Amino acid sequence: MDRTELADFLRRARTRLAPSDVGLNTGPRRRTPGLRREEVAQLTGMSTDYYTRLEQRRGSHPSRQMLAALARALRLTDVERDHLFHLAGQEPPRPGGSSDHVRPGLLLILDRLHDLPASVLSDWGQMLAQNTMSVALTGDHVGANMIRRWFIVPGARDLAPTENHEEHARAHVASLRAVTAARPDDPGPAALVAELRAASNEFEELWESHDVVVRRPSPKRFLHPMVGVLDLDCEVLLSDGHSQQLVVHSARPGTETYQRLELLRVVGLQDLTPSS
């Protein structure tokens, strides 16, 4: 691990970004350009103290997950991401397999969709990035696998009407089946299938049916605990190679759902639960 070069690279990557580049409010005029250290820490989910120590050449070896989060937060290109991994003494992600690195251009689009729930997922269900509206709609799930959550995490289906559960389950399994066939040597999807076949009878039964589909644009209903029922249109934009998906939910103007989505945008992530 080259602490000196890593610190310099992180500092330069941070100072070239404006808060608006990553979906943050600019706020008062700043004395120095770029993001603050605490803002990078917020975007990556690490403590400000830990990130500060990395820039001061005092940090411990960051994990691969931490490096991937830094690459997303700092909007690094594929080449810059690989350089970051090398400076930290880690091998970059292998080409040809699943990648949790989201291209800066895709993240820029995500940040500009400030009034619509939008997220970036891998083709096998890994949540790679969410904007604030997406977090307000479904919760913060960056780093989690949404197919795994659906089948084995209690409460993961609460936002979907009961009558839609079977349809969603079938779509999840059929989409995962298509991915594993397309990339049989990719360890990520294969490990997920093995885990779910062992942990969920429902998944095993659907897997044996051998349905194959890919995610398509479709209406989707959410049962949100704060604003109520939301009937949203779902658009899916595919990246090059179709390994990542930008998923955008919207409501038709003039509808009750449109008004409720506006309410969700206003209240955002506020906790409106009355205090005891």
Side-chain angles (χ1 to χ4, degrees):
M1 175 174 171
D2 190 332
R3 286 184 169 84
T4 300
E5 288 296 313
L6 177 62
D8 182 69
F9 183 66
L10 290 174
R11 184 171 54 253
R12 292 179 184 276
R14 172 173 62 84
T15 56
R16 74 186 181 190
L17 289 172
S20 58
D21 294 333
V22 296
L24 298 176
N25 293 326
T26 303
R29 185 175 180 180
R30 302 181 177 218
R31 296 180 181 178
T32 57
L35 298 177
R36 298 188 176 105
R37 287 172 175 169
E38 58 266 27
E39 289 171 335
V40 177
Q42 173 190 341
L43 291 168
T44 56
M46 68 176 68
S47 69
T48 302
D49 178 66
Y50 180 78
Y51 179 77
T52 300
R53 282 188 278 117
L54 286 177
E55 280 203 9
Q56 293 178 344
R57 298 174 291 179
R58 299 186 294 113
S60 59
H61 287 73
S63 66
R64 295 182 64 84
Q65 291 79 7
M66 195 69 74
L67 292 171
L70 281 169
R72 285 194 298 271
L74 297 173
R75 303 306 194 250
L76 302 184
T77 65
D78 289 351
V79 174
E80 290 170 332
R81 176 208 58 190
D82 290 354
H83 183 61
L84 174 68
F85 272 73
H86 285 138
L87 291 177
Q90 297 267 16
E91 280 298 312
R94 294 180 302 170
S98 301
S99 173
D100 57 3
H101 181 62
V102 185
R103 296 199 317 274
L106 201 54
L107 289 171
L108 180 64
I109 296 173
L110 186 73
D111 294 331
R112 293 299 184 269
L113 297 171
H114 57 85
D115 58 346
L116 296 175
S119 56
V120 179
L121 296 100
S122 73
D123 55 2
W124 58 287
Q126 288 291 114
M127 181 66 77
L128 304 178
Q130 293 177 267
N131 66 5
T132 302
M133 279 291 286
S134 173
V135 174
L137 177 63
T138 66
D140 187 351
H141 300 303
V142 172
N145 186 280
M146 303 308 288
I147 299 178
R148 181 183 184 277
R149 278 182 51 80
W150 180 266
F151 284 100
I152 65 177
V153 176
R157 305 187 182 193
D158 289 351
L159 285 176
T162 304
E163 60 269 22
N164 296 145
H165 286 187
E166 182 180 355
E167 176 188 355
H168 290 327
R170 287 187 177 277
H172 281 320
V173 176
S175 177
L176 187 56
R177 166 81 70 174
V179 172
T180 55
R183 298 200 304 273
D185 297 327
D186 192 337
L192 178 62
V193 170
E195 177 189 5
L196 293 180
R197 294 187 73 176
S200 169
N201 291 333
E202 180 189 18
F203 182 90
E204 172 65 13
E205 292 175 3
L206 291 173
W207 185 261
E208 289 299 323
S209 69
H210 211 120
D211 292 333
V212 179
V213 298
V214 294
R215 186 189 292 267
R216 299 296 185 191
S218 61
K220 188 173 292 186
R221 171 167 286 189
F222 292 87
L223 306 178
H224 195 276
M226 186 181 299
V227 300
V229 177
L230 296 167
D231 290 306
L232 300 175
D233 292 325
C234 176
E235 292 293 337
V236 180
L237 307 178
L238 302 178
S239 66
D240 291 342
H242 297 184
S243 62
Q244 294 181 359
Q245 306 163 343
L246 174 63
V247 181
V248 183
H249 292 97
S250 62
R252 298 179 183 179
T255 62
E256 189 172 3
T257 290
Y258 184 84
Q259 296 173 351
R260 291 176 176 176
L261 196 62
E262 280 293 294
L263 175 61
L264 184 63
R265 182 180 64 83
V266 173
V267 299
L269 303 178
Q270 298 178 47
D271 184 0
L272 301 185
T273 304
S275 58
S276 58

